[in-house]
Amino acid sequence: MTTRIVFLDRASLPAALPAPVAAHEWIDHPHTEPADTIARLAGARVAVVNKHVLDAATLAQLPDLKLVAVCATGVNNVDIDACRRLGITVCNVRNYGADSVAEHAFLLLLALKRNLLAYRTDMLAGRWQQSSQFCLLSAPITDLAGQRLLVAGSGDIGSNLAQKARAFGMEVFQLEHRDAVSVRPGYLSFDEGLASADALSLHLPLNDGTRGMIGAAELARMKPGCVLINTARGGLVDEAALVAALRDGPLAGAGFDVLSEEPPVNGNPLLDVELPNLIVTPHVAWASGRAMTTMARMLVDNIDAWLAGAPRNVVA
């Protein structure tokens, strides 16, 4: 039996894909509009998506669909409950880009603590040439050594970042859940963590429990001089409140690789300002060549395993 496999947003993964072992028909669509989803998945047993949304109403109209292979770790674009009701297996790819994302988070942390963006702006404006001394000291510079890093999320990416930070002499703690009744070893309570961290890096999935976890109240409780790093999901943070905290304190800086809407076709508060203490990159922390090659192989491995009757990396 030949299995029809349809990749709805192939352009989101610019890496070569190995062919599945079993007999198959593979159809690629660089991008798919929501209105075209059902027609393109007609007769498909396997849907491959990265960020394309598969909601309950769409899934209910695809009786042949048996597997959703997500070429990402996060699956918030797929209605998991609907898949369970309909008997559709959902698999994701895991641990493909821990080095890539952790390095990007660390890059943002270093750049903000040493005010790289502000110094580059000054250099482009010719301010060093106008200096009365040999160096230009126009923005504060902070060493990472001796600083406290708070990591929200203890998966491979958060653990990888923690390892890098310790190598630079940072004191690293994990952030305990907001409503935890006890604090685990190596963790700080939610309130203590926010109040004492010199840097907070987010590495959590976006779900009902984490959506908006950092809002105006949480930003106000952060230690003056703290920097906030988010390479996970944009919806974890209230972006308008973040801009206010960057302008008026207490935050010293923010480095974001993710936004609440991607691409931000309707605008975003973080793109409406030009601040020397804000760095925004276009969701590329995951996208090293090595990470994408690993992802492509794991994606096809997941499909092969499901076709062989031994699904792996199952979410639902």
Side-chain angles (χ1 to χ4, degrees), residues 114-135:
R114 302 198 72 84
N115 260 313
L116 182 64
L117 213 60
Y119 277 106
R120 174 168 170 74
T121 299
D122 286 347
M123 288 295 299
L124 292 174
R127 295 194 179 100
W128 193 14
Q129 296 91 316
Q130 301 163 14
S131 175
S132 60
Q133 56 180 340
F134 74 97
C135 62

Side-chain angles (χ1 to χ4, degrees), residues 71-287:
C71 59
T73 302
V75 295
N76 52 289
N77 54 311
V78 179
D79 191 318
I80 300 300
D81 290 336
C83 285
R84 290 193 179 106
R85 290 194 305 271
L86 295 166
I88 300 171
T89 301
V90 180
C91 297
N92 66 349
V93 290
R94 307 172 188 181
N95 311 333
Y96 68 91
D99 285 319
S100 185
V101 179
E103 286 184 17
H104 196 89
F106 200 71
L107 162 75
L108 295 172
L109 175 61
L110 267 172
L112 289 166
K113 284 295 184 179
R114 302 198 72 84
N115 260 313
L116 182 64
L117 213 60
Y119 277 106
R120 174 168 170 74
T121 299
D122 286 347
M123 288 295 299
L124 292 174
R127 295 194 179 100
W128 193 14
Q129 296 91 316
Q130 301 163 14
S131 175
S132 60
Q133 56 180 340
F134 74 97
C135 62
L136 177 68
L137 299 174
S138 56
I141 296 172
T142 302
D143 293 333
L144 294 186
Q147 292 261 296
R148 173 174 288 186
L149 171 64
L150 190 64
V151 179
S154 56
D156 286 326
I157 296 172
S159 299
N160 193 309
L161 175 63
Q163 182 182 34
K164 297 181 190 323
R166 290 190 182 100
F168 272 65
M170 298 190 79
E171 180 187 34
V172 181
F173 289 93
Q174 297 284 341
L175 178 65
E176 191 57 88
H177 299 297
R178 184 194 301 269
D179 301 321
V181 296
S182 61
V183 178
R184 290 167 283 179
Y187 284 68
L188 293 177
S189 71
F190 193 83
D191 289 337
E192 181 185 358
L194 292 184
S196 66
D198 298 297
L200 169 60
S201 192
L202 305 180
H203 302 282
L204 295 166
L206 180 64
N207 53 44
D208 291 341
T210 61
R211 192 180 307 275
M213 63 176 285
I214 302 296
E218 290 75 23
L219 290 164
R221 296 208 302 272
M222 287 186 179
K223 178 181 178 180
C226 182
V227 300
L228 176 62
I229 309 297
N230 187 7
T231 55
R233 289 291 184 266
L236 299 174
V237 179
D238 181 328
E239 292 154 335
L242 175 62
V243 171
L246 288 170
R247 281 177 164 163
D248 306 324
L251 275 190
F256 273 51
D257 185 54
V258 288
L259 297 177
S260 55
E261 180 192 41
E262 297 175 347
V265 294
N266 295 304
N268 186 283
L270 299 186
L271 303 180
D272 293 338
V273 294
E274 188 173 340
L275 300 172
N277 57 346
L278 171 63
I279 303 174
V280 179
T281 53
H283 205 143
V284 292
W286 66 280

